[in-house]
C-alpha cells in the first residue's frame, strides 16, 4: 500500500470528507496541517502553493504525486482501494449518490466557504450577523432540497442510500456539522437529522470529526 499524506485543516469540510473516506477504507495516512487563518492563511504561503497552486485544502499525496479537490480524491481512493465500497454497484444508483454528494459539495458548501465569508466582510463590510444570515440562507435552502430528494426517492435507510455510508454521507456529515456551528435548526429536516446522528456515531466519522484532529483548537 502506498504511503498517503493528507494536507488538511481541522475545520475544513472538504478535508473532513477525505478523512472520513480514508478512515472508512481503513487506509493509514500521515497528516500535515495547514492553518487557514494563521499568518494570514498558511495555504497562501509558497511552500504550500508548491503542493497545491490553488492554495486550498485538502491535498492528498501518494507515490504517484499530489491530488486536489475532495470529491476527485475520494473517487480516486474508491477506484484504487475499492473495498469497502463508497458507491453502489447499480450504475443508476451510483449516479444518484453522486448527485446527492454534488448537491452538497457544489451547490451549498462553496457559497459558505471561509474565503467567501471573509470576502463578504472585507470587501462588502458585512457584519457578523449579516455573514451568519448569508450562511444560514444558503444552508437552509440547500438542505431543504436535499431532504426533499431523500424523502421522494425512498432510497435512504440509516444512511443517505441504504444502511451503509456512501459518498453522499461523507459529504453530508461535514456540511451538517458546520451548519450546527452556526446554530442551524435541523428540526425542519428530520431525515437529514437522523442520518447525521447515525453516521456521526460511527467510528470512522467520529475519528474524522474536527475536534478529534491533532490541529484542533
Amino acid at each position: 500500500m502506498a504511503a498517503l499524506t493528507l494536507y488538511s485543516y481541522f475545520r475544513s469540510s472538504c478535508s473532513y470528507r477525505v478523512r472520513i473516506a480514508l478512515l472508512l477504507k481503513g487506509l493509514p495516512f500521515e497528516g500535515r496541517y495547514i492553518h487557514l487563518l494563521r499568518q494570514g492563511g498558511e495555504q497562501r504561503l509558497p511552500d504550500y502553493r508548491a503542493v497545491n497552486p490553488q492554495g486550498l485544502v485538502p491535498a492528498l499525496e501518494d507515490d504517484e504525486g499530489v491530488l486536489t479537490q475532495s470529491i476527485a480524491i475520494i473517487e480516486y481512493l474508491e477506484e484504487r482501494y475499492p473495498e469497502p465500497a463508497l458507491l453502489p454497484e447499480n450504475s443508476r444508483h451510483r449516479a444518484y449518490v453522486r448527485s446527492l454528494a454534488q448537491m452538497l459539495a457544489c451547490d451549498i458548501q462553496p457559497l459558505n466557504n471561509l474565503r467567501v465569508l471573509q470576502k463578504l466582510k472585507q470587501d462588502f463590510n458585512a457584519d457578523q450577523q449579516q455573514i451568519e444570515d448569508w450562511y444560514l440562507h444558503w444552508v437552509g435552502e440547500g438542505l431543504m432540497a436535499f431532504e426533499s430528494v431523500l424523502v421522494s426517492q425512498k432510497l435512504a435507510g440509516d444512511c443517505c442510500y441504504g444502511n451503509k455510508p456512501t459518498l453522499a454521507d461523507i459529504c453530508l456529515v461535514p456540511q451538517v456539522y458546520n451548519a450546527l456551528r452556526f446554530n442551524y435548526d435541523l428540526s425542519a429536516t428530520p431525515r437529514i437529522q437522523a442520518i447525521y446522528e447515525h453516521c456521526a456515531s460511527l467510528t470512522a466519522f467520529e475519528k474524522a470529526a474536527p475536534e478529534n484532529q491533532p490541529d484542533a483548537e
Side-chain angles (χ1 to χ4, degrees), residues 86-111:
L86 302 177
L87 289 166
E89 291 184 10
N90 178 285
S91 60
R92 187 170 184 85
H93 288 183
R94 281 202 305 274
Y96 170 67
V97 167
R98 286 185 171 112
S99 75
L100 291 176
Q102 289 177 22
M103 287 177 70
L104 299 156
C106 300
D107 296 333
I108 302 177
Q109 188 271 335
L111 288 165

Short mmCIF file of all heavy atoms in Angstrom, two decimals, residues 86-111:
data_model
loop_
_atom_site.label_atom_id
_atom_site.label_comp_id
_atom_site.label_asym_id
_atom_site.label_seq_id
_atom_site.Cartn_x
_atom_site.Cartn_y
_atom_site.Cartn_z
N LEU A 86 -17.76 2.79 -1.51
CA LEU A 86 -18.44 4.02 -1.12
C LEU A 86 -19.49 4.44 -2.15
O LEU A 86 -20.12 5.48 -1.99
CB LEU A 86 -17.41 5.15 -0.95
CG LEU A 86 -16.31 4.89 0.08
CD1 LEU A 86 -15.33 6.04 0.11
CD2 LEU A 86 -16.90 4.64 1.47
N LEU A 87 -19.65 3.62 -3.18
CA LEU A 87 -20.67 3.85 -4.21
C LEU A 87 -21.41 2.55 -4.46
O LEU A 87 -20.81 1.46 -4.38
CB LEU A 87 -20.03 4.35 -5.51
CG LEU A 87 -19.47 5.78 -5.48
CD1 LEU A 87 -18.58 6.02 -6.69
CD2 LEU A 87 -20.60 6.80 -5.44
N PRO A 88 -22.70 2.61 -4.79
CA PRO A 88 -23.46 1.38 -5.06
C PRO A 88 -22.98 0.68 -6.32
O PRO A 88 -22.32 1.28 -7.19
CB PRO A 88 -24.90 1.91 -5.27
CG PRO A 88 -24.91 3.28 -4.72
CD PRO A 88 -23.53 3.82 -4.88
N GLU A 89 -23.34 -0.59 -6.47
CA GLU A 89 -22.99 -1.35 -7.68
C GLU A 89 -23.84 -0.92 -8.87
O GLU A 89 -23.35 -0.85 -10.00
CB GLU A 89 -23.16 -2.85 -7.42
CG GLU A 89 -22.16 -3.44 -6.45
CD GLU A 89 -22.32 -4.95 -6.32
OE1 GLU A 89 -23.06 -5.54 -7.12
OE2 GLU A 89 -21.69 -5.53 -5.42
N ASN A 90 -25.11 -0.68 -8.64
CA ASN A 90 -26.03 -0.29 -9.70
C ASN A 90 -25.64 1.07 -10.28
O ASN A 90 -25.45 2.04 -9.54
CB ASN A 90 -27.45 -0.24 -9.12
CG ASN A 90 -28.49 0.19 -10.12
OD1 ASN A 90 -28.59 1.36 -10.45
ND2 ASN A 90 -29.28 -0.76 -10.61
N SER A 91 -25.50 1.16 -11.60
CA SER A 91 -24.99 2.38 -12.22
C SER A 91 -25.91 3.58 -11.99
O SER A 91 -25.44 4.70 -11.76
CB SER A 91 -24.77 2.16 -13.73
OG SER A 91 -25.98 1.81 -14.37
N ARG A 92 -27.21 3.36 -12.05
CA ARG A 92 -28.13 4.47 -11.82
C ARG A 92 -28.08 4.94 -10.37
O ARG A 92 -28.12 6.14 -10.09
CB ARG A 92 -29.57 4.09 -12.20
CG ARG A 92 -30.52 5.28 -12.12
CD ARG A 92 -31.87 4.98 -12.73
NE ARG A 92 -32.70 6.17 -12.73
CZ ARG A 92 -32.68 7.11 -13.65
NH1 ARG A 92 -31.86 7.00 -14.68
NH2 ARG A 92 -33.49 8.17 -13.59
N HIS A 93 -27.95 3.98 -9.46
CA HIS A 93 -27.86 4.35 -8.05
C HIS A 93 -26.53 5.04 -7.75
O HIS A 93 -26.47 5.92 -6.88
CB HIS A 93 -28.07 3.12 -7.18
CG HIS A 93 -29.49 2.65 -7.17
ND1 HIS A 93 -29.91 1.57 -6.40
CD2 HIS A 93 -30.59 3.08 -7.84
CE1 HIS A 93 -31.21 1.38 -6.59
NE2 HIS A 93 -31.63 2.29 -7.47
N ARG A 94 -25.47 4.64 -8.46
CA ARG A 94 -24.20 5.36 -8.30
C ARG A 94 -24.37 6.82 -8.70
O ARG A 94 -23.88 7.72 -8.03
CB ARG A 94 -23.10 4.72 -9.16
CG ARG A 94 -22.47 3.47 -8.58
CD ARG A 94 -21.10 3.19 -9.16
NE ARG A 94 -21.09 3.10 -10.61
CZ ARG A 94 -21.35 2.02 -11.31
NH1 ARG A 94 -21.69 0.89 -10.68
NH2 ARG A 94 -21.30 2.02 -12.63
N ALA A 95 -25.07 7.03 -9.82
CA ALA A 95 -25.30 8.40 -10.27
C ALA A 95 -26.14 9.16 -9.25
O ALA A 95 -25.90 10.36 -9.01
CB ALA A 95 -25.99 8.39 -11.63
N TYR A 96 -27.10 8.49 -8.64
CA TYR A 96 -27.95 9.13 -7.63
C TYR A 96 -27.11 9.56 -6.43
O TYR A 96 -27.23 10.70 -5.94
CB TYR A 96 -29.05 8.17 -7.20
CG TYR A 96 -29.83 8.62 -5.99
CD1 TYR A 96 -30.66 9.75 -6.05
CD2 TYR A 96 -29.74 7.94 -4.78
CE1 TYR A 96 -31.38 10.17 -4.93
CE2 TYR A 96 -30.46 8.36 -3.66
CZ TYR A 96 -31.27 9.47 -3.75
OH TYR A 96 -31.97 9.89 -2.64
N VAL A 97 -26.26 8.67 -5.93
CA VAL A 97 -25.41 9.00 -4.79
C VAL A 97 -24.47 10.15 -5.14
O VAL A 97 -24.27 11.08 -4.35
CB VAL A 97 -24.63 7.76 -4.32
CG1 VAL A 97 -23.51 8.15 -3.34
CG2 VAL A 97 -25.58 6.76 -3.65
N ARG A 98 -23.92 10.11 -6.34
CA ARG A 98 -23.06 11.23 -6.78
C ARG A 98 -23.85 12.54 -6.83
O ARG A 98 -23.33 13.60 -6.50
CB ARG A 98 -22.45 10.92 -8.14
CG ARG A 98 -21.33 9.88 -8.11
CD ARG A 98 -20.69 9.73 -9.47
NE ARG A 98 -19.50 8.92 -9.43
CZ ARG A 98 -19.38 7.72 -10.00
NH1 ARG A 98 -20.43 7.18 -10.63
NH2 ARG A 98 -18.25 7.05 -9.94
N SER A 99 -25.09 12.47 -7.27
CA SER A 99 -25.90 13.70 -7.35
C SER A 99 -26.15 14.27 -5.96
O SER A 99 -26.11 15.49 -5.77
CB SER A 99 -27.22 13.44 -8.07
OG SER A 99 -28.15 12.74 -7.27
N LEU A 100 -26.40 13.41 -4.98
CA LEU A 100 -26.55 13.88 -3.60
C LEU A 100 -25.27 14.55 -3.12
O LEU A 100 -25.30 15.63 -2.51
CB LEU A 100 -26.90 12.71 -2.68
CG LEU A 100 -28.27 12.07 -2.83
CD1 LEU A 100 -28.40 10.86 -1.89
CD2 LEU A 100 -29.40 13.07 -2.55
N ALA A 101 -24.14 13.90 -3.39
CA ALA A 101 -22.86 14.46 -2.97
C ALA A 101 -22.62 15.82 -3.61
O ALA A 101 -22.16 16.77 -2.95
CB ALA A 101 -21.73 13.51 -3.33
N GLN A 102 -22.98 15.96 -4.88
CA GLN A 102 -22.73 17.21 -5.57
C GLN A 102 -23.69 18.31 -5.13
O GLN A 102 -23.33 19.50 -5.18
CB GLN A 102 -22.79 16.99 -7.08
CG GLN A 102 -21.61 16.19 -7.59
CD GLN A 102 -21.67 15.90 -9.07
OE1 GLN A 102 -22.35 16.59 -9.83
NE2 GLN A 102 -20.98 14.87 -9.50
N MET A 103 -24.89 17.96 -4.70
CA MET A 103 -25.78 18.97 -4.13
C MET A 103 -25.10 19.68 -2.96
O MET A 103 -25.24 20.89 -2.76
CB MET A 103 -27.08 18.34 -3.65
CG MET A 103 -28.03 17.91 -4.74
SD MET A 103 -29.52 17.09 -4.08
CE MET A 103 -30.35 18.49 -3.31
N LEU A 104 -24.36 18.92 -2.19
CA LEU A 104 -23.67 19.46 -1.03
C LEU A 104 -22.34 20.11 -1.40
O LEU A 104 -22.06 21.24 -1.01
CB LEU A 104 -23.42 18.33 -0.02
CG LEU A 104 -24.69 17.65 0.52
CD1 LEU A 104 -24.37 16.24 0.99
CD2 LEU A 104 -25.31 18.47 1.63
N ALA A 105 -21.54 19.39 -2.18
CA ALA A 105 -20.18 19.83 -2.47
C ALA A 105 -20.11 20.94 -3.50
O ALA A 105 -19.16 21.74 -3.49
CB ALA A 105 -19.34 18.64 -2.95
N CYS A 106 -21.11 21.02 -4.39
CA CYS A 106 -21.08 22.01 -5.46
C CYS A 106 -22.05 23.16 -5.26
O CYS A 106 -21.79 24.28 -5.70
CB CYS A 106 -21.38 21.34 -6.81
SG CYS A 106 -20.22 20.05 -7.27
N ASP A 107 -23.17 22.90 -4.59
CA ASP A 107 -24.24 23.90 -4.53
C ASP A 107 -24.41 24.56 -3.16
O ASP A 107 -24.99 25.64 -3.08
CB ASP A 107 -25.58 23.28 -4.94
CG ASP A 107 -25.57 22.81 -6.38
OD1 ASP A 107 -24.80 23.39 -7.17
OD2 ASP A 107 -26.32 21.88 -6.72
N ILE A 108 -23.94 23.92 -2.09
CA ILE A 108 -24.06 24.51 -0.76
C ILE A 108 -22.71 24.99 -0.25
O ILE A 108 -22.51 26.17 0.03
CB ILE A 108 -24.68 23.52 0.26
CG1 ILE A 108 -26.06 23.05 -0.21
CG2 ILE A 108 -24.78 24.18 1.63
CD1 ILE A 108 -26.69 22.01 0.72
N GLN A 109 -21.77 24.08 -0.12
CA GLN A 109 -20.50 24.40 0.54
C GLN A 109 -19.73 25.57 -0.09
O GLN A 109 -19.23 26.43 0.65
CB GLN A 109 -19.62 23.14 0.60
CG GLN A 109 -18.36 23.29 1.43
CD GLN A 109 -17.19 23.80 0.63
OE1 GLN A 109 -17.14 23.63 -0.59
NE2 GLN A 109 -16.24 24.43 1.30
N PRO A 110 -19.64 25.67 -1.42
CA PRO A 110 -18.84 26.78 -1.97
C PRO A 110 -19.37 28.16 -1.59
O PRO A 110 -18.58 29.11 -1.45
CB PRO A 110 -18.93 26.55 -3.49
CG PRO A 110 -19.17 25.08 -3.63
CD PRO A 110 -20.06 24.74 -2.48
N LEU A 111 -20.68 28.29 -1.41
CA LEU A 111 -21.24 29.59 -1.05
C LEU A 111 -20.93 29.97 0.40
O LEU A 111 -21.03 31.14 0.77
CB LEU A 111 -22.76 29.57 -1.25
CG LEU A 111 -23.21 29.59 -2.72
CD1 LEU A 111 -24.69 29.21 -2.82
CD2 LEU A 111 -22.96 30.96 -3.34
#
